[in-house]
Amino acid sequence: KRQEMDDFDVYPISHKGRVYNVITAMDLTFREVRGMIDALVALGAFPAGADAHEPGDLFTCAVEGFVFEVDVRGFDVVVYRRERAK
């Protein structure tokens, strides 16, 4: 089931000199969050300025044995799904 946005909390995370807002209804470990941000950086999810992704650009990344489905809006990372990697 899809979570309601009311259930989501914002967690500002400072990582490698930049602050990201991780928005999720899940309890994530710091290793998962940092790994997810590193994976998203590698995928080019945080372009500067006018090249910012539109809401709805979903990214999938595998971190710490889980697969995450996230939406990136500037430096906001909305985590929608977390499931065990197959």
Side-chain angles (χ1 to χ4, degrees):
K1 97 179 175 42
R2 200 102 169 153
Q3 284 121 345
E4 298 296 321
M5 287 307 285
D6 293 350
D7 297 336
F8 283 58
D9 292 308
V10 179
Y11 301 94
I13 302 289
S14 178
H15 182 63
K16 296 185 178 175
R18 190 166 255 153
V19 176
Y20 301 86
N21 289 315
V22 177
I23 305 165
T24 184
M26 294 166 245
D27 291 327
L28 303 174
T29 68
F30 283 116
R31 285 179 62 162
E32 288 172 329
V33 171
R34 289 189 172 101
M36 186 174 20
I37 291 170
D38 287 341
L40 290 168
V41 167
L43 290 169
F46 302 109
D51 292 333
H53 289 274
E54 293 297 316
D57 284 349
L58 293 182
F59 292 89
T60 301
C61 48
V63 179
E64 297 287 315
F66 290 92
V67 175
F68 295 89
E69 185 175 88
V70 303
D71 188 3
V72 175
R73 304 170 190 183
F75 292 100
D76 292 348
V77 178
V78 184
V79 183
Y80 289 114
R81 206 161 48 95
R82 173 187 188 240
E83 61 185 36
R84 284 225 169 266
K86 293 178 169 59

